[in-house]
Amino acid sequence: MDSYVDSLSAGRDTQYSKAFRSAFNLLKGSSSGRETSRTKVIIFLTDGKPTDEPTEIMQTIQTKNAELDNKVVIMTYGMEQDLQILRDIANQDGGRYGVSQTSDVTAGKFTYVGNTENLRRDFATYYDFFSENLVRDAPIISIPYIDAFGTGLLTSITLPCYYQGKFIGVVGTDISMEDLLSEITYFQRGQSSYAFMVDSSGRTMMHPLLPAPSDAFGDPIFMDITALEPEPEFTSVFLSIKSGKSGQKTFPSKRFLARGGQAEEGVTVATYRSTYFWEPVQHTNFTVTIVVKDGDKDETLDTQTIPSDFEFLYHRLDLVKPDSPCVHFSRYSSKDSTVVKFSAEAFTDPYKYLGLDESVS
């Protein structure tokens, strides 16, 4: 890319309207769902005067911005060019060219770059412009990452702090993804129902086809949810999720069921009619979806009556030793009593069970 840019040379026309038309089309093609409410920005840098008519330029900007509900702010930079047209483009005011100004547009800013060696510094005014009078009252949630100190997969939640309207700092906390996603990881209603969580762009945070957060040993590679839910009927579900809506839909979907050890014995693919229920998580860009196979039930064991003469031992024989233990290679075992081990899913908080050392108490 660097060599390609370096090979470019100036020549021919400087058509502002063509450049803006391409920029607006790019923004329009990338806008969907929750993203439509965000302010969009075009940064326009030029070292030449326009060869197309100012009226055409301003009319193009007005028409194209209207297609995006006038959510686009234009920042213009003139390299050794202090042109009135660049100021008018930034203000989106074409009055002097016979194009009336739209009332609900947000004016940008023109910056004159007198010395190209200061281009990086002058470009930084872009951040100053958008930080003025900006007060965020919603938390910012980072993409999950591996903690450098060995804690595991984390996400950071931060919120800016203000005093009398002035920004004074940031408060934040790190949350273990194991704790955050434990309910989703261990959700089970029958053998073929599951849950997953995605963000508004379709990035998958948790899905049964992905490693659990406790199994992450490197920075995660996030997959698009459509790669994990490939059914054509899922498209409408995905569009609803991206828009921050809730809903439900029933259609046939595939399950990949392990035959044993997946690495060696593979999986069996089965198709079940299932209902998808999805709901956005308040004050975040995440959505949780529950997929329930038709006919799946939340099975609960009846209260069991244990015979008075029946005894069993918990598998942690190092904590609760049998009366007559047998020791083999420093490990306790029992020859005369049944030993029971419960899976993590049998506990109210599976991750707490997995993450904390057990004790007698």
mmCIF file of all heavy atoms in Angstrom, residues 21-65:
data_model
loop_
_atom_site.group_PDB
_atom_site.id
_atom_site.type_symbol
_atom_site.label_atom_id
_atom_site.label_comp_id
_atom_site.label_asym_id
_atom_site.label_seq_id
_atom_site.Cartn_x
_atom_site.Cartn_y
_atom_site.Cartn_z
ATOM 1 N N ARG A 21 -18.938 12.051 -3.898
ATOM 2 C CA ARG A 21 -19.939 11.044 -4.249
ATOM 3 C C ARG A 21 -19.461 9.647 -3.829
ATOM 4 O O ARG A 21 -20.222 8.857 -3.258
ATOM 5 C CB ARG A 21 -20.216 11.090 -5.750
ATOM 6 C CG ARG A 21 -21.439 10.265 -6.172
ATOM 7 C CD ARG A 21 -21.732 10.434 -7.652
ATOM 8 N NE ARG A 21 -22.112 11.805 -7.976
ATOM 9 C CZ ARG A 21 -21.364 12.648 -8.688
ATOM 10 N NH1 ARG A 21 -20.182 12.258 -9.147
ATOM 11 N NH2 ARG A 21 -21.777 13.871 -8.949
ATOM 12 N N SER A 22 -18.202 9.363 -4.072
ATOM 13 C CA SER A 22 -17.646 8.062 -3.682
ATOM 14 C C SER A 22 -17.621 7.906 -2.164
ATOM 15 O O SER A 22 -17.934 6.839 -1.625
ATOM 16 C CB SER A 22 -16.229 7.904 -4.243
ATOM 17 O OG SER A 22 -16.232 7.919 -5.653
ATOM 18 N N ALA A 23 -17.258 8.980 -1.454
ATOM 19 C CA ALA A 23 -17.181 8.919 0.009
ATOM 20 C C ALA A 23 -18.560 8.689 0.620
ATOM 21 O O ALA A 23 -18.727 7.856 1.525
ATOM 22 C CB ALA A 23 -16.570 10.206 0.551
ATOM 23 N N PHE A 24 -19.561 9.404 0.141
ATOM 24 C CA PHE A 24 -20.918 9.233 0.675
ATOM 25 C C PHE A 24 -21.460 7.838 0.364
ATOM 26 O O PHE A 24 -22.141 7.230 1.192
ATOM 27 C CB PHE A 24 -21.850 10.304 0.111
ATOM 28 C CG PHE A 24 -21.806 11.612 0.855
ATOM 29 C CD1 PHE A 24 -21.151 12.710 0.319
ATOM 30 C CD2 PHE A 24 -22.414 11.736 2.093
ATOM 31 C CE1 PHE A 24 -21.108 13.916 1.002
ATOM 32 C CE2 PHE A 24 -22.378 12.937 2.790
ATOM 33 C CZ PHE A 24 -21.719 14.038 2.239
ATOM 34 N N ASN A 25 -21.176 7.333 -0.829
ATOM 35 C CA ASN A 25 -21.639 5.988 -1.181
ATOM 36 C C ASN A 25 -21.009 4.934 -0.270
ATOM 37 O O ASN A 25 -21.650 3.951 0.109
ATOM 38 C CB ASN A 25 -21.315 5.677 -2.641
ATOM 39 C CG ASN A 25 -22.195 6.452 -3.605
ATOM 40 O OD1 ASN A 25 -23.266 6.937 -3.229
ATOM 41 N ND2 ASN A 25 -21.757 6.579 -4.848
ATOM 42 N N LEU A 26 -19.738 5.141 0.077
ATOM 43 C CA LEU A 26 -19.060 4.217 0.984
ATOM 44 C C LEU A 26 -19.711 4.239 2.362
ATOM 45 O O LEU A 26 -19.957 3.193 2.967
ATOM 46 C CB LEU A 26 -17.581 4.583 1.089
ATOM 47 C CG LEU A 26 -16.723 3.692 1.999
ATOM 48 C CD1 LEU A 26 -16.687 2.266 1.466
ATOM 49 C CD2 LEU A 26 -15.306 4.253 2.108
ATOM 50 N N LEU A 27 -20.023 5.422 2.866
ATOM 51 C CA LEU A 27 -20.682 5.535 4.166
ATOM 52 C C LEU A 27 -22.075 4.922 4.133
ATOM 53 O O LEU A 27 -22.497 4.251 5.079
ATOM 54 C CB LEU A 27 -20.770 7.003 4.590
ATOM 55 C CG LEU A 27 -19.458 7.689 4.979
ATOM 56 C CD1 LEU A 27 -19.695 9.165 5.254
ATOM 57 C CD2 LEU A 27 -18.840 7.018 6.199
ATOM 58 N N LYS A 28 -22.776 5.138 3.050
ATOM 59 C CA LYS A 28 -24.132 4.593 2.941
ATOM 60 C C LYS A 28 -24.109 3.073 2.907
ATOM 61 O O LYS A 28 -24.951 2.406 3.523
ATOM 62 C CB LYS A 28 -24.811 5.133 1.684
ATOM 63 C CG LYS A 28 -26.280 4.734 1.561
ATOM 64 C CD LYS A 28 -26.925 5.371 0.341
ATOM 65 C CE LYS A 28 -28.398 4.986 0.241
ATOM 66 N NZ LYS A 28 -29.042 5.614 -0.950
ATOM 67 N N GLY A 29 -23.124 2.505 2.228
ATOM 68 C CA GLY A 29 -23.036 1.054 2.138
ATOM 69 C C GLY A 29 -22.635 0.385 3.434
ATOM 70 O O GLY A 29 -22.880 -0.804 3.627
ATOM 71 N N SER A 30 -22.016 1.140 4.345
ATOM 72 C CA SER A 30 -21.556 0.558 5.607
ATOM 73 C C SER A 30 -22.471 0.895 6.768
ATOM 74 O O SER A 30 -22.169 0.560 7.906
ATOM 75 C CB SER A 30 -20.143 1.056 5.934
ATOM 76 O OG SER A 30 -20.143 2.461 6.122
ATOM 77 N N SER A 31 -23.597 1.553 6.513
ATOM 78 C CA SER A 31 -24.503 1.977 7.584
ATOM 79 C C SER A 31 -25.669 1.018 7.685
ATOM 80 O O SER A 31 -26.345 0.738 6.699
ATOM 81 C CB SER A 31 -25.036 3.390 7.309
ATOM 82 O OG SER A 31 -23.977 4.318 7.259
ATOM 83 N N SER A 32 -25.878 0.488 8.904
ATOM 84 C CA SER A 32 -27.022 -0.387 9.139
ATOM 85 C C SER A 32 -27.280 -0.470 10.626
ATOM 86 O O SER A 32 -26.389 -0.270 11.443
ATOM 87 C CB SER A 32 -26.767 -1.796 8.587
ATOM 88 O OG SER A 32 -25.681 -2.395 9.246
ATOM 89 N N GLY A 33 -28.522 -0.772 10.968
ATOM 90 C CA GLY A 33 -28.871 -1.030 12.363
ATOM 91 C C GLY A 33 -28.556 0.130 13.273
ATOM 92 O O GLY A 33 -28.853 1.288 12.996
ATOM 93 N N ARG A 34 -27.908 -0.184 14.404
ATOM 94 C CA ARG A 34 -27.630 0.828 15.411
ATOM 95 C C ARG A 34 -26.646 1.875 14.900
ATOM 96 O O ARG A 34 -26.560 2.977 15.423
ATOM 97 C CB ARG A 34 -27.055 0.169 16.667
ATOM 98 C CG ARG A 34 -27.959 -0.896 17.261
ATOM 99 C CD ARG A 34 -27.326 -1.525 18.483
ATOM 100 N NE ARG A 34 -27.853 -2.864 18.705
ATOM 101 C CZ ARG A 34 -27.559 -3.612 19.743
ATOM 102 N NH1 ARG A 34 -26.750 -3.177 20.667
ATOM 103 N NH2 ARG A 34 -28.073 -4.827 19.881
ATOM 104 N N GLU A 35 -25.869 1.522 13.855
ATOM 105 C CA GLU A 35 -24.854 2.442 13.366
ATOM 106 C C GLU A 35 -25.471 3.670 12.695
ATOM 107 O O GLU A 35 -24.804 4.681 12.520
ATOM 108 C CB GLU A 35 -23.944 1.723 12.360
ATOM 109 C CG GLU A 35 -23.421 0.372 12.835
ATOM 110 C CD GLU A 35 -22.578 0.492 14.081
ATOM 111 O OE1 GLU A 35 -21.842 1.490 14.200
ATOM 112 O OE2 GLU A 35 -22.661 -0.394 14.939
ATOM 113 N N THR A 36 -26.749 3.608 12.294
ATOM 114 C CA THR A 36 -27.348 4.708 11.554
ATOM 115 C C THR A 36 -27.491 5.961 12.407
ATOM 116 O O THR A 36 -27.617 7.057 11.878
ATOM 117 C CB THR A 36 -28.731 4.302 11.017
ATOM 118 O OG1 THR A 36 -29.550 3.867 12.115
ATOM 119 C CG2 THR A 36 -28.604 3.165 10.014
ATOM 120 N N SER A 37 -27.496 5.835 13.725
ATOM 121 C CA SER A 37 -27.672 6.998 14.591
ATOM 122 C C SER A 37 -26.355 7.708 14.890
ATOM 123 O O SER A 37 -26.353 8.786 15.478
ATOM 124 C CB SER A 37 -28.332 6.575 15.907
ATOM 125 O OG SER A 37 -27.510 5.659 16.599
ATOM 126 N N ARG A 38 -25.242 7.129 14.487
ATOM 127 C CA ARG A 38 -23.949 7.720 14.792
ATOM 128 C C ARG A 38 -23.576 8.796 13.782
ATOM 129 O O ARG A 38 -23.912 8.716 12.605
ATOM 130 C CB ARG A 38 -22.862 6.647 14.805
ATOM 131 C CG ARG A 38 -23.023 5.618 15.914
ATOM 132 C CD ARG A 38 -21.864 4.645 15.908
ATOM 133 N NE ARG A 38 -21.970 3.674 16.979
ATOM 134 C CZ ARG A 38 -21.094 2.709 17.196
ATOM 135 N NH1 ARG A 38 -20.044 2.592 16.399
ATOM 136 N NH2 ARG A 38 -21.258 1.867 18.194
ATOM 137 N N THR A 39 -22.848 9.807 14.266
ATOM 138 C CA THR A 39 -22.328 10.834 13.372
ATOM 139 C C THR A 39 -21.202 10.245 12.528
ATOM 140 O O THR A 39 -20.342 9.537 13.030
ATOM 141 C CB THR A 39 -21.798 12.028 14.182
ATOM 142 O OG1 THR A 39 -22.872 12.594 14.937
ATOM 143 C CG2 THR A 39 -21.211 13.084 13.265
ATOM 144 N N LYS A 40 -21.236 10.542 11.251
ATOM 145 C CA LYS A 40 -20.214 10.043 10.331
ATOM 146 C C LYS A 40 -19.365 11.216 9.862
ATOM 147 O O LYS A 40 -19.827 12.354 9.843
ATOM 148 C CB LYS A 40 -20.872 9.318 9.159
ATOM 149 C CG LYS A 40 -21.732 8.138 9.606
ATOM 150 C CD LYS A 40 -22.617 7.635 8.503
ATOM 151 C CE LYS A 40 -23.454 6.458 8.985
ATOM 152 N NZ LYS A 40 -24.360 6.838 10.099
ATOM 153 N N VAL A 41 -18.144 10.930 9.477
ATOM 154 C CA VAL A 41 -17.193 11.991 9.163
ATOM 155 C C VAL A 41 -16.513 11.719 7.827
ATOM 156 O O VAL A 41 -16.111 10.592 7.542
ATOM 157 C CB VAL A 41 -16.115 12.119 10.262
ATOM 158 C CG1 VAL A 41 -15.216 13.321 9.979
ATOM 159 C CG2 VAL A 41 -16.746 12.239 11.632
ATOM 160 N N ILE A 42 -16.397 12.753 7.034
ATOM 161 C CA ILE A 42 -15.567 12.716 5.826
ATOM 162 C C ILE A 42 -14.419 13.699 6.043
ATOM 163 O O ILE A 42 -14.645 14.872 6.360
ATOM 164 C CB ILE A 42 -16.363 13.106 4.568
ATOM 165 C CG1 ILE A 42 -17.410 12.036 4.250
ATOM 166 C CG2 ILE A 42 -15.427 13.294 3.377
ATOM 167 C CD1 ILE A 42 -18.303 12.395 3.066
ATOM 168 N N ILE A 43 -13.191 13.219 5.899
ATOM 169 C CA ILE A 43 -12.008 14.074 5.989
ATOM 170 C C ILE A 43 -11.510 14.310 4.565
ATOM 171 O O ILE A 43 -11.105 13.368 3.878
ATOM 172 C CB ILE A 43 -10.919 13.422 6.859
ATOM 173 C CG1 ILE A 43 -11.439 13.237 8.290
ATOM 174 C CG2 ILE A 43 -9.653 14.261 6.858
ATOM 175 C CD1 ILE A 43 -10.458 12.543 9.211
ATOM 176 N N PHE A 44 -11.562 15.556 4.141
ATOM 177 C CA PHE A 44 -11.251 15.904 2.756
ATOM 178 C C PHE A 44 -9.962 16.722 2.722
ATOM 179 O O PHE A 44 -9.894 17.828 3.247
ATOM 180 C CB PHE A 44 -12.412 16.705 2.155
ATOM 181 C CG PHE A 44 -12.244 17.032 0.696
ATOM 182 C CD1 PHE A 44 -12.424 16.066 -0.273
ATOM 183 C CD2 PHE A 44 -11.902 18.319 0.295
ATOM 184 C CE1 PHE A 44 -12.268 16.363 -1.620
ATOM 185 C CE2 PHE A 44 -11.744 18.630 -1.044
ATOM 186 C CZ PHE A 44 -11.928 17.650 -2.007
ATOM 187 N N LEU A 45 -8.927 16.152 2.104
ATOM 188 C CA LEU A 45 -7.614 16.797 2.007
ATOM 189 C C LEU A 45 -7.293 17.047 0.542
ATOM 190 O O LEU A 45 -7.408 16.136 -0.287
ATOM 191 C CB LEU A 45 -6.548 15.891 2.634
ATOM 192 C CG LEU A 45 -5.083 16.302 2.449
ATOM 193 C CD1 LEU A 45 -4.793 17.587 3.213
ATOM 194 C CD2 LEU A 45 -4.155 15.178 2.909
ATOM 195 N N THR A 46 -6.902 18.267 0.217
ATOM 196 C CA THR A 46 -6.579 18.580 -1.172
ATOM 197 C C THR A 46 -5.480 19.632 -1.235
ATOM 198 O O THR A 46 -5.303 20.425 -0.304
ATOM 199 C CB THR A 46 -7.824 19.091 -1.926
ATOM 200 O OG1 THR A 46 -7.490 19.318 -3.303
ATOM 201 C CG2 THR A 46 -8.339 20.390 -1.325
ATOM 202 N N ASP A 47 -4.744 19.604 -2.340
ATOM 203 C CA ASP A 47 -3.747 20.652 -2.588
ATOM 204 C C ASP A 47 -4.039 21.368 -3.901
ATOM 205 O O ASP A 47 -3.179 22.058 -4.443
ATOM 206 C CB ASP A 47 -2.337 20.057 -2.614
ATOM 207 C CG ASP A 47 -2.146 19.078 -3.772
ATOM 208 O OD1 ASP A 47 -3.156 18.733 -4.430
ATOM 209 O OD2 ASP A 47 -1.002 18.658 -4.015
ATOM 210 N N GLY A 48 -5.264 21.178 -4.403
ATOM 211 C CA GLY A 48 -5.593 21.788 -5.688
ATOM 212 C C GLY A 48 -6.965 22.418 -5.707
ATOM 213 O O GLY A 48 -7.843 22.082 -4.904
ATOM 214 N N LYS A 49 -7.161 23.313 -6.647
ATOM 215 C CA LYS A 49 -8.460 23.941 -6.836
ATOM 216 C C LYS A 49 -9.367 22.993 -7.615
ATOM 217 O O LYS A 49 -8.896 22.211 -8.443
ATOM 218 C CB LYS A 49 -8.296 25.253 -7.604
ATOM 219 C CG LYS A 49 -7.447 26.290 -6.889
ATOM 220 C CD LYS A 49 -7.306 27.547 -7.727
ATOM 221 C CE LYS A 49 -6.438 28.583 -7.022
ATOM 222 N NZ LYS A 49 -6.281 29.821 -7.832
ATOM 223 N N PRO A 50 -10.675 23.058 -7.373
ATOM 224 C CA PRO A 50 -11.582 22.154 -8.091
ATOM 225 C C PRO A 50 -11.681 22.520 -9.566
ATOM 226 O O PRO A 50 -11.688 23.698 -9.931
ATOM 227 C CB PRO A 50 -12.916 22.359 -7.373
ATOM 228 C CG PRO A 50 -12.842 23.746 -6.815
ATOM 229 C CD PRO A 50 -11.398 23.948 -6.440
ATOM 230 N N THR A 51 -11.761 21.493 -10.399
ATOM 231 C CA THR A 51 -11.968 21.720 -11.829
ATOM 232 C C THR A 51 -13.434 21.549 -12.207
ATOM 233 O O THR A 51 -13.808 21.841 -13.345
ATOM 234 C CB THR A 51 -11.110 20.743 -12.652
ATOM 235 O OG1 THR A 51 -11.403 19.396 -12.253
ATOM 236 C CG2 THR A 51 -9.630 21.013 -12.437
ATOM 237 N N ASP A 52 -14.256 21.048 -11.279
ATOM 238 C CA ASP A 52 -15.693 20.988 -11.531
ATOM 239 C C ASP A 52 -16.362 22.203 -10.893
ATOM 240 O O ASP A 52 -15.766 22.907 -10.071
ATOM 241 C CB ASP A 52 -16.305 19.685 -11.013
ATOM 242 C CG ASP A 52 -15.819 19.309 -9.623
ATOM 243 O OD1 ASP A 52 -14.878 19.956 -9.122
ATOM 244 O OD2 ASP A 52 -16.371 18.367 -9.030
ATOM 245 N N GLU A 53 -17.596 22.443 -11.249
ATOM 246 C CA GLU A 53 -18.293 23.643 -10.816
ATOM 247 C C GLU A 53 -18.662 23.567 -9.331
ATOM 248 O O GLU A 53 -19.119 22.519 -8.855
ATOM 249 C CB GLU A 53 -19.562 23.845 -11.641
ATOM 250 C CG GLU A 53 -19.302 24.192 -13.100
ATOM 251 C CD GLU A 53 -18.575 25.524 -13.232
ATOM 252 O OE1 GLU A 53 -18.852 26.439 -12.419
ATOM 253 O OE2 GLU A 53 -17.718 25.643 -14.126
ATOM 254 N N PRO A 54 -18.491 24.673 -8.585
ATOM 255 C CA PRO A 54 -18.874 24.693 -7.171
ATOM 256 C C PRO A 54 -20.338 24.325 -6.946
ATOM 257 O O PRO A 54 -20.669 23.668 -5.950
ATOM 258 C CB PRO A 54 -18.581 26.133 -6.747
ATOM 259 C CG PRO A 54 -17.516 26.593 -7.685
ATOM 260 C CD PRO A 54 -17.829 25.928 -8.991
ATOM 261 N N THR A 55 -21.209 24.724 -7.865
ATOM 262 C CA THR A 55 -22.630 24.386 -7.717
ATOM 263 C C THR A 55 -22.830 22.876 -7.716
ATOM 264 O O THR A 55 -23.586 22.323 -6.904
ATOM 265 C CB THR A 55 -23.454 25.013 -8.858
ATOM 266 O OG1 THR A 55 -23.290 26.431 -8.833
ATOM 267 C CG2 THR A 55 -24.931 24.668 -8.703
ATOM 268 N N GLU A 56 -22.137 22.188 -8.614
ATOM 269 C CA GLU A 56 -22.247 20.728 -8.672
ATOM 270 C C GLU A 56 -21.698 20.092 -7.399
ATOM 271 O O GLU A 56 -22.265 19.127 -6.874
ATOM 272 C CB GLU A 56 -21.491 20.194 -9.889
ATOM 273 C CG GLU A 56 -21.571 18.673 -10.027
ATOM 274 C CD GLU A 56 -20.720 18.139 -11.169
ATOM 275 O OE1 GLU A 56 -20.044 18.947 -11.844
ATOM 276 O OE2 GLU A 56 -20.713 16.905 -11.369
ATOM 277 N N ILE A 57 -20.604 20.644 -6.885
ATOM 278 C CA ILE A 57 -19.999 20.105 -5.662
ATOM 279 C C ILE A 57 -20.971 20.209 -4.493
ATOM 280 O O ILE A 57 -21.238 19.224 -3.786
ATOM 281 C CB ILE A 57 -18.690 20.860 -5.335
ATOM 282 C CG1 ILE A 57 -17.664 20.667 -6.451
ATOM 283 C CG2 ILE A 57 -18.127 20.384 -3.993
ATOM 284 C CD1 ILE A 57 -16.450 21.571 -6.320
ATOM 285 N N MET A 58 -21.522 21.407 -4.285
ATOM 286 C CA MET A 58 -22.397 21.624 -3.142
ATOM 287 C C MET A 58 -23.714 20.865 -3.292
ATOM 288 O O MET A 58 -24.271 20.371 -2.304
ATOM 289 C CB MET A 58 -22.663 23.118 -2.961
ATOM 290 C CG MET A 58 -21.409 23.963 -2.741
ATOM 291 S SD MET A 58 -20.323 23.368 -1.419
ATOM 292 C CE MET A 58 -21.400 23.483 -0.005
ATOM 293 N N GLN A 59 -24.208 20.745 -4.511
ATOM 294 C CA GLN A 59 -25.444 19.996 -4.731
ATOM 295 C C GLN A 59 -25.231 18.512 -4.458
ATOM 296 O O GLN A 59 -26.101 17.832 -3.880
ATOM 297 C CB GLN A 59 -25.929 20.198 -6.171
ATOM 298 C CG GLN A 59 -27.308 19.603 -6.446
ATOM 299 C CD GLN A 59 -28.391 20.278 -5.625
ATOM 300 O OE1 GLN A 59 -28.604 21.485 -5.734
ATOM 301 N NE2 GLN A 59 -29.085 19.508 -4.790
ATOM 302 N N THR A 60 -24.070 17.992 -4.847
ATOM 303 C CA THR A 60 -23.747 16.587 -4.577
ATOM 304 C C THR A 60 -23.714 16.320 -3.078
ATOM 305 O O THR A 60 -24.282 15.336 -2.583
ATOM 306 C CB THR A 60 -22.387 16.221 -5.199
ATOM 307 O OG1 THR A 60 -22.465 16.362 -6.617
ATOM 308 C CG2 THR A 60 -21.996 14.786 -4.848
ATOM 309 N N ILE A 61 -23.051 17.209 -2.332
ATOM 310 C CA ILE A 61 -22.951 17.046 -0.878
ATOM 311 C C ILE A 61 -24.328 17.105 -0.234
ATOM 312 O O ILE A 61 -24.673 16.288 0.626
ATOM 313 C CB ILE A 61 -22.020 18.124 -0.288
ATOM 314 C CG1 ILE A 61 -20.581 17.890 -0.759
ATOM 315 C CG2 ILE A 61 -22.097 18.137 1.236
ATOM 316 C CD1 ILE A 61 -19.618 18.993 -0.384
ATOM 317 N N GLN A 62 -25.141 18.066 -0.659
ATOM 318 C CA GLN A 62 -26.472 18.218 -0.063
ATOM 319 C C GLN A 62 -27.347 16.993 -0.328
ATOM 320 O O GLN A 62 -28.004 16.462 0.575
ATOM 321 C CB GLN A 62 -27.151 19.470 -0.617
ATOM 322 C CG GLN A 62 -28.500 19.766 0.028
ATOM 323 C CD GLN A 62 -29.186 20.958 -0.602
ATOM 324 O OE1 GLN A 62 -29.701 20.862 -1.717
ATOM 325 N NE2 GLN A 62 -29.180 22.091 0.099
ATOM 326 N N THR A 63 -27.335 16.500 -1.562
ATOM 327 C CA THR A 63 -28.174 15.355 -1.927
ATOM 328 C C THR A 63 -27.721 14.084 -1.218
ATOM 329 O O THR A 63 -28.534 13.332 -0.664
ATOM 330 C CB THR A 63 -28.144 15.138 -3.449
ATOM 331 O OG1 THR A 63 -28.603 16.325 -4.108
ATOM 332 C CG2 THR A 63 -29.022 13.961 -3.843
ATOM 333 N N LYS A 64 -26.418 13.845 -1.226
ATOM 334 C CA LYS A 64 -25.893 12.618 -0.638
ATOM 335 C C LYS A 64 -26.016 12.606 0.888
ATOM 336 O O LYS A 64 -26.282 11.563 1.489
ATOM 337 C CB LYS A 64 -24.431 12.423 -1.047
ATOM 338 C CG LYS A 64 -24.250 12.030 -2.506
ATOM 339 C CD LYS A 64 -24.858 10.659 -2.765
ATOM 340 C CE LYS A 64 -24.612 10.178 -4.162
ATOM 341 N NZ LYS A 64 -25.195 8.825 -4.406
ATOM 342 N N ASN A 65 -25.836 13.750 1.520
ATOM 343 C CA ASN A 65 -25.966 13.799 2.977
ATOM 344 C C ASN A 65 -27.415 13.587 3.395
ATOM 345 O O ASN A 65 -27.694 12.975 4.434
ATOM 346 C CB ASN A 65 -25.442 15.129 3.520
ATOM 347 C CG ASN A 65 -25.000 15.021 4.974
ATOM 348 O OD1 ASN A 65 -25.130 13.976 5.605
ATOM 349 N ND2 ASN A 65 -24.472 16.107 5.508
#
